[in-house]
Amino acid sequence: MPDGARVDALVDQLLEAHPPASTKDTEFWAAQYDLGLGWVHFPEGFGGLGLDPKLQERIDERLEQAGAPSNVNVNFMGIGMAGPTIVVRGTDEQRQRFLRPAFACEEIWCQLFSEPGAGSDLASLSTRAVRDGDEWVFNGQKVWTTLAHVADWAMILARTDPEQPKHKGLTYFLIDMRQPGIEVRPLRQINGEAEFNEVYLTDARTPDSLRVGDVGEGWAVALTTLMNERVAFGHLSRAPRGSGAIGQAVRALQSHEPDDEAARDEVTKAWIANELVRLTTVRAQEMRERGTPGPEGAVVKLAYTTTVEQTWKLAVDLMGPDGLLISNYDMIRPTTMGGSSIAESGENQDVVKAWLTQRGGTIGGGTTDIGRNILAERVLGLPGDPKADKDLPWSQVPRS
Ligand SMILES: Cc1cc2nc3c(=O)[nH]c(=O)nc-3n(C[C@H](O)[C@H](O)[C@H](O)COP(=O)(O)OP(=O)(O)OC[C@H]3O[C@@H](n4cnc5c(N)ncnc54)[C@H](O)[C@@H]3O)c2cc1C
């Protein structure tokens, strides 16, 4: 049977045995995983069928049409980043233990990478992991950790050898967030919400069996996570034509400035820019599906986040005095990605809040400047910045 027909038959089977309207979300996702329809390119027995990743789109479309729940924003880090890292870099025990609960959203994940002194230059991070028998002991501080307040597990990058150059002394682990050595404190954002957090690790522990990759090889494992993060952002940016920010800009034009020709010109330009981004996203994704994710993911992220931010700003400008109003400034603690401001869509969306939220999109997952550096160096082949600390032992690199 051709792969497409095989997948279609399994989707039919899933929908028949677990009608979305009467099945609990977590049960539906677990059944989807068991049939190999979770990450279709993963090996059989691990949520996939070892097939072309392009078929995932076909599966997702059919499930969406049938009214099935979507798990991506519920466990963005688990499904978009931890799963794809564990399947490639993890042990069979780790795959067995973590993939199914992550896909079913029975266990929520977060990403403990960034620190107060290490964001764009992630490899300079300071959180220490020291071996103690069969365990590792962690001390340090992480920051900007999205959804840490609901997370059960985290991917963590820590320094295991300060005498090695910065990229070489790092190791990657999985760590239980529900332990006394981990303290999560909310960070309130410009939109009033606290989707991300500071995370303090004080003698937090994880067993050596939850190390991913060899000691000192953490940077390579982290790159797998970061590449998949860009791809996952790419999925988020595949909104239908005319939806999201540009849809709101058109609505704002119609209701506030219907006769202003200059405003109409601005909205037309924004429409074209958004359409170019949408088509570039589709093309980049198709290229990725033929091989592995590469720097084109950074192009999409860069183009999408900057264009959408400018478009939200245009919508706010067109609203005139109404653009000064925000629906509420309560400190909401979102439990899914994107916060409450993008949970709503169409007429109900709070445009001002969505614009403020989108500003974080140009920073998280790599800033716009870093996106431009990647484009310059890896796509255009321009010379990179001088890297004076590349070969120095991390312990000798000056830090503030
Ligand atoms: C909404 C949101 C969610 C996030 N979620 C997570 C998460 O879940 N887990 C996690 O680990 N992190 C998360 N982050 C952190 C994010 O990865 C970092 O904020 C990002 O990598 C930038 O690091 P930084 O904030 O330390 O800024 P810095 O790296 O200090 O950068 C400051 C400024 O300098 C510029 N800059 C820095 N280096 C260069 C350079 N070489 N060339 C040119 N310009 C440069 C930057 O573009 C920026 O404008 C999140 C951030 C946001 C906004």
Side-chain angles (χ1 to χ4, degrees):
M1 189 192 289
D3 293 344
R6 182 178 169 204
V7 156
D8 283 344
L10 287 167
V11 170
D12 290 341
Q13 189 183 326
L14 173 66
L15 292 170
E16 205 180 304
H18 304 275
S22 55
T23 309
K24 220 174 118 194
D25 290 356
T26 49
E27 265 168 44
F28 185 89
W29 295 323
Q32 184 180 346
Y33 177 94
D34 292 340
L35 285 171
L37 301 174
W39 293 278
V40 77
H41 57 295
F42 283 18
E44 291 203 34
F46 293 114
L49 300 166
L51 298 180
D52 186 337
K54 220 174 161 138
L55 287 167
Q56 191 65 48
E57 213 175 306
R58 180 172 175 146
I59 297 167
D60 294 345
E61 268 172 27
R62 284 213 49 211
L63 292 180
E64 193 185 336
Q65 280 160 13
S70 168
N71 54 3
V72 178
N73 283 348
V74 179
N75 198 8
F76 183 82
M77 265 72 67
I79 293 164
M81 292 150 77
T85 304
I86 291 169
V87 81
V88 175
R89 302 279 188 171
T91 61
D92 262 355
E93 289 72 30
Q94 290 166 358
R95 293 184 192 124
Q96 206 70 54
R97 164 67 188 81
F98 291 111
L99 293 179
R100 190 176 189 272
F103 192 83
C105 301
E106 286 159 354
E107 289 177 346
I108 304 297
W109 284 76
C110 69
Q111 178 198 22
L112 292 175
F113 280 16
S114 304
E115 297 184 2
S120 301
D121 185 13
L122 179 62
S124 66
L125 61 82
S126 312
T127 293
R128 285 296 315 273
V130 177
R131 187 146 188 167
D132 178 24
D134 284 343
E135 292 189 325
W136 292 83
V137 181
F138 296 78
N139 281 286
Q141 185 197 343
K142 298 288 179 177
V143 75
W144 320 128
T145 318
T146 304
L147 300 184
H149 52 289
V150 291
D152 303 290
W153 287 91
M155 306 155 263
I156 181 166
L157 193 57
R159 189 158 303 282
T160 43
D161 187 350
E163 300 316 317
Q164 292 286 334
K166 61 180 182 179
H167 290 91
K168 296 199 174 135
L170 299 170
T171 306
Y172 191 115
F173 302 89
L174 312 176
I175 191 167
D176 185 350
M177 288 292 289
R178 313 253 183 216
Q179 58 171 300
I182 295 189
E183 187 196 348
V184 177
R185 298 186 197 164
L187 282 171
R188 198 165 185 200
Q189 291 149 252
I190 193 173
N191 61 5
E193 305 186 358
E195 184 183 60
F196 56 32
N197 305 270
E198 301 179 285
V199 177
Y200 291 84
L201 298 113
T202 310
D203 293 334
R205 286 178 174 261
T206 210
D208 187 54
S209 59
L210 296 189
R211 172 168 47 78
V212 183
D214 290 337
V215 175
E217 294 297 321
W219 185 248
V221 185
L223 287 183
T224 304
T225 306
L226 295 172
M227 282 295 185
N228 279 290
E229 180 176 26
R230 293 195 184 124
V231 171
F233 273 118
H235 284 291
L236 283 186
S237 59
R238 291 195 72 173
R241 173 187 288 163
S243 66
I246 188 63
Q248 291 291 0
V250 171
R251 243 174 249 135
L253 176 74
Q254 287 162 346
S255 55
H256 290 80
E257 303 284 358
D259 302 320
D260 184 331
E261 289 186 9
R264 202 165 55 213
D265 264 6
E266 288 306 312
V267 173
T268 306
K269 279 189 218 150
W271 180 282
I272 293 167
N274 277 271
E275 190 54 9
L276 284 174
V277 170
R278 194 183 68 80
L279 294 172
T280 307
T281 306
V282 172
R283 197 178 50 189
Q285 183 156 357
E286 284 181 357
M287 281 163 65
R288 180 188 73 81
E289 282 166 354
R290 280 187 227 128
T292 50
E296 66 272 9
V299 181
V300 166
K301 202 252 170 195
L302 175 64
Y304 172 77
T305 53
T306 50
T307 305
V308 170
E309 189 194 358
Q310 285 156 14
T311 310
W312 280 121
K313 182 170 182 312
L314 175 63
V316 171
D317 285 347
L318 290 168
M319 287 164 65
D322 289 349
L324 296 171
L325 301 175
I326 192 163
S327 58
N328 72 67
Y329 199 67
D330 297 341
M331 192 178 101
I332 297 165
R333 295 284 266 154
T335 54
T336 58
M337 267 291 275
S340 63
S341 48
I342 65 163
E344 300 280 359
S345 61
E347 304 281 354
N348 295 330
Q349 196 158 27
D350 180 335
V351 174
V352 179
K353 223 173 191 196
W355 170 53
L356 294 174
T357 303
Q358 180 56 32
R359 305 207 63 158
T362 62
I363 302 170
T367 69
T368 298
D369 301 314
I370 296 300
R372 291 198 176 110
N373 282 351
I374 293 173
L375 254 183
E377 292 173 28
R378 295 199 218 147
V379 182
L380 302 176
L382 298 173
D385 285 340
K387 295 184 171 73
D389 59 356
K390 190 166 161 274
D391 299 316
L392 270 183
W394 177 83
S395 59
Q396 290 175 28
V397 178
R399 267 178 300 280
S400 56

